[in-house]
Amino acid sequence: MRATQIRETFTDFFTSRGHHQVPSSSLVPDDPTLLLTNAGMNQFKPYFLGETPPAFPRATSIQKCARTSDIDNVGRTNRHATFFEMMGNFSFGDYFKEDAIAFAWELLTEGYGLAPERLWITVYEDDDEAERHWRRIGVPASRIQRLGMADNYWSMGVPGPCGPCSEVNYDRGPAFGREGGPAVDGERYVEIWNLVFMQFRRGAGDTKGDFPILGELATKSIDTGLGLDRLAAILQDAENVCTTDLLLPTLHTVQRLAGRDYPGRGEEKVSFQVVTEHARSIAFLIADGVLPAKDGRGYVLRRLMRRAVRHARLLGIDGPVLPAATASVIANLGGVWPELTAQAALIERVVTNEEDSFTRTLAQGTRLLDAAITRTRATRSAALPGETAFELADTYGFPLELTVEAVREAGLTVDEDRFAALLAEQQKRAQAGGRARTAEALRKRDTYRELAAGLPRTEFLGYDHLTAETTVRGIVRDGAVARTAPEGSEAELVLDRSPFYAEAGGQIGDTGTLTTRDGARLRITDTRYGLDGFRVHTARVLEGELRTGDSGVAVVDGDRRQGLMRAHSATHILHAVVRAVLGDHARQQGSLVEPDRLRFDFAHFSAVGPDELVRIEAAVNGHVLDDPEVRAWYAGRAEAEAAGALALFGEKYGDTVRIVDIGDFSRELCGGTHVAHGSQIGTFRLLGESSIGSSLRRVEALTGHQARHHQDTERRLLAELTGLLGTRPADAPAALRKRLDALADAQAQLAKVRAGELRQRAEQLAADAREVGAGRLVARRVTGVAPDELRGLAAEALRRIQPGPAVVILAVDHDGKALLAAAVSPDLHRGGTEAGELLTAAARTVGGGSGGRGPLASAGGRRPEHLDRALDQAARHAAGLLGDASTGAHSS
């Protein structure tokens, strides 16, 4: 049974039994506690938590999931993957254990034709009810095992719904491991379906089960997950997912690039599976808007890409591997997951750029490692320091495995214990920060959940009205629900009706005022979403006291809202123009919409040139002048996509979506506020373009009043410049170039004169060199020499002294700073003398440090009063090297 049929069988089974089919959500979750979507239930969390009433009593989905917690096991087991499709059925207070178990058994044995005698069941250790239901449908007690909380109990890791679970496992036979059921061998008895019975509410505690059960939930729910990858391997009699039809074309691509077949065992097999499996994860993550970065989701993607490239190199693939591997994923799965096909150009460019970058990283890391190995040998140590290995991995991205391999070939070892300690320290710091952010997000969610209990959702009136009669339904102060907010206090408010737009889609929240009938007056400083459907208004009480239940009038800052609307509509036009000029891959990756100002991030692989920026700005202004109508309408998600509406990466959309059309050239899903006609944007002015990460660019622009003010400022500056040049605006560039050319000529002449002066100074210094031991020495304090000239003067004086061993040390007091330079002759340097050694003690004396390796070095500090003593120290050190410890410094 091919994967397409497996999906269809699952969906048909549950839709025929009253389940609402829900499309997969993005791998980028709308959840501050999650980095990536890792389970089918993620998009239904608001239903399970009671934050949002369920739109349907039962649902089914096939959810894209990404998990990297077991990344090191990929290729080493037959069941681990970093990307998978989770097929699930869900009940929100409808059916419970008996029906969930019956559904699973019927579908597995009849729908998929699995032999009942090969199915093993695990249940939570005290879940008698679940075992009874399994026994009733024919599973013998000998194939039901009870396991503890670590294996058969589910929670989100935080206070909230939880409950026991029951897993269905398939016996793959003796070739895959030992007898004894899933409690003995998870490779042979592979888990394929997990049924979670959400029936309890847990309190605070750790993720390993050390938490109190606070009681039963008022509404018991079901959350299940059947792994498509594992089921496909069973139904296709494949050893692992890489040899199923989900990934076999990609495996064949890797075999072709490697020039050999996929082996049955060993490290080569691991590498083949890593490259193949990671290619799928990489393609899906990029298709959902994740781009390589130094942290967060981008770091997960970068780690997958670099791991795949490293294993490709271990297979002897020296050329590019990711473009071909991800292209095979798109060709194979793009029909089921159309976002892969839609983002094919972006995926190709991102993986190509990242692989090229990592190849350069490997070359640089190899050079640095070779130098580190040489230093380690020079110290007669048998182990490369863990600090060095960690720096190579952390700063330069050079994998520890390659460091260990290269060091072993050099006859050394790596202090891996120290490396592990440094890595643990770094991870501990990162986890502490992540836990703090997560705890704060959860604390806010809990407060909002308490506040919203029993309240209707906020009615938003802001598309058509800037003023509304409203009632205060809830108040939060100092992180807790409150009844009142006194004069002078800060508070967060929930209103029953609101004209204030809550920050979303890049557009910042509205501000304004709230005046109650009892005389309280508040300044609304921001508006954001608390829970789904609730707008939270941040406010300061200017007069009176606010109480829950107070009624009044809410008024949005009209001028500010107009500026936001102008900038937001301009962002849509800019998006359409950028794609038209640069290519369809240049899709929006993020934005910030402020009053008459916008920031727009998009995928692109090189700097946008000046000519392209001019074309983009001109095209946007052309659309504005054409005065297109801006129209908003509503449709089902499928209808909107069929109509060509563009959905943005990382945004959350419901079944019914709002579409914003601007003329006939822009159609996007958008919940923001907009002008009615393009000409109301006024003027659009690009400020500049920059890089904000790998394959990610940013432009900033102004609209309306800010664009006009910017133009006025530029006009005044041009008038001032032309006045200084004594010419007309049209002739200003030519006049300025003429002045600059003349200035450059004058500076060149001055440089020649100065160079001649310094040569004379160098000749004089060389003539004053004194015989010291086996060589000659100049140690002088000089005047009238700039910091950038001091090293050059020392080097030139040394050149005029040679041949023979020689040292030149110069010092100058410049603008209250002590500066020194040292130069040693080639024969001394070849003998092991570094110029920097001569200045180490001197640098400490003047309260600074030294720099420079080789025959030329410099030093500086903030204590010029000690400059003579420092110079004398350096001179004595040099004299000792030359064979005479009695010589000090002289002034010049």
Side-chain angles (χ1 to χ4, degrees), residues 716-852:
R716 287 193 298 271
L717 290 173
L718 179 59
E720 183 179 353
L721 179 63
T722 54
L724 292 171
L725 293 171
T727 187
R728 297 176 304 175
D731 299 329
L736 183 56
R737 278 193 293 270
K738 185 176 179 180
R739 296 282 183 95
L740 291 175
D741 289 343
L743 179 60
D745 289 342
Q747 288 175 332
Q749 292 298 321
L750 287 172
K752 289 180 180 178
V753 172
R754 182 58 176 165
E757 292 176 353
L758 290 175
R759 283 195 296 271
Q760 290 179 359
R761 293 284 294 275
E763 188 172 341
Q764 180 182 352
L765 289 167
D768 292 341
R770 289 166 291 132
E771 299 289 338
V772 177
R776 285 181 286 177
L777 171 66
V778 174
R780 292 294 178 96
R781 179 165 176 166
V782 297
T783 59
V785 179
D788 59 344
E789 298 172 337
L790 192 63
R791 283 165 58 111
L793 180 59
E796 181 65 19
L798 180 70
R799 189 179 68 82
R800 293 173 180 273
I801 294 173
Q802 294 175 27
V807 177
V808 175
I809 304 170
L810 304 180
V812 65
D813 180 344
H814 183 81
D815 287 342
K817 294 181 181 178
L819 304 172
L820 298 101
V824 299
S825 58
D827 44 2
L828 289 177
H829 184 245
R830 284 193 297 270
T833 300
E834 297 279 337
E837 298 173 12
L838 304 176
L839 300 180
T840 303
R844 287 196 296 268
T845 298
V846 295
S850 59

Side-chain angles (χ1 to χ4, degrees), residues 333-607:
L333 299 176
V336 178
W337 301 101
E339 59 268 35
L340 291 173
T341 303
Q343 298 300 326
L346 175 63
I347 293 167
E348 180 186 10
R349 294 296 296 272
V350 170
V351 299
T352 298
N353 283 6
E354 188 68 15
E355 186 166 356
D356 288 346
S357 173
F358 187 48
T359 299
R360 292 192 296 271
T361 293
L362 291 176
Q364 179 189 26
T366 300
R367 291 194 299 271
L368 294 170
L369 181 57
D370 288 344
I373 290 172
T374 300
R375 291 196 302 272
T376 302
R377 282 174 168 164
T379 62
R380 300 187 183 281
S381 173
L384 186 80
E387 287 82 359
T388 301
F390 183 76
E391 181 184 15
L392 284 167
D394 186 52
T395 304
Y396 300 101
F398 195 79
L400 174 64
E401 295 90 338
L402 294 187
T403 298
V404 171
E405 183 179 335
V407 168
R408 186 184 300 121
E409 291 172 357
L412 303 172
T413 61
V414 176
D415 186 352
E416 294 189 57
D417 290 342
R418 179 58 178 158
F419 177 94
L422 292 168
L423 181 61
E425 290 174 11
Q426 183 192 64
Q427 291 174 338
K428 186 176 181 180
R429 290 192 298 269
Q431 289 168 357
R435 282 195 299 269
R437 290 189 295 272
T438 300
E440 176 63 18
L442 290 172
R443 186 187 63 78
K444 280 194 170 185
R445 284 288 180 100
D446 288 343
T447 301
Y448 293 149
R449 194 175 298 125
E450 177 187 353
L451 178 68
L455 291 181
R457 272 40 182 175
T458 306
E459 181 184 358
F460 177 59
L461 308 171
Y463 290 135
D464 304 309
H465 304 282
L466 298 183
T467 302
E469 294 279 345
T470 189
T471 300
V472 178
R473 293 301 187 189
I475 300 173
V476 173
R477 286 180 52 220
D478 300 323
V481 177
R483 298 293 301 172
T484 63
E487 185 173 312
S489 65
E490 299 278 349
E492 294 180 315
L493 318 177
V494 171
L495 309 177
D496 64 340
R497 307 166 77 239
S498 175
F500 296 96
Y501 179 81
E503 180 172 338
Q507 180 178 334
I508 64 174
D510 279 334
T511 61
T513 60
L514 173 64
T515 305
T516 71
R517 292 189 175 87
D518 291 336
R521 188 167 63 87
L522 292 85
R523 177 68 187 167
I524 306 297
T525 58
D526 194 14
T527 309
R528 296 176 179 270
Y529 280 105
L531 302 176
D532 187 27
F534 284 93
R535 282 171 164 76
V536 176
H537 307 75
T538 304
R540 182 171 183 80
V541 184
L542 303 179
E543 295 179 10
E545 181 181 55
L546 183 72
R547 296 179 296 274
T548 301
D550 283 354
S551 297
V553 178
V555 181
V556 175
D557 286 338
D559 289 343
R560 184 176 182 275
R561 167 70 84 81
Q562 287 294 324
L564 286 164
M565 292 161 63
R566 286 190 290 265
H568 200 158
S569 297
T571 302
H572 281 224
I573 297 175
L574 174 63
H575 190 188
V577 168
V578 164
R579 292 174 61 214
V581 173
L582 301 178
D584 191 60
H585 67 274
R587 294 196 173 203
Q588 178 176 330
Q589 300 292 317
S591 68
L592 176 64
V593 176
E594 298 178 313
D596 278 332
R597 189 179 189 97
L598 63 95
R599 190 178 72 206
F600 181 78
D601 303 337
F602 57 97
H604 196 50
F605 316 104
S606 60

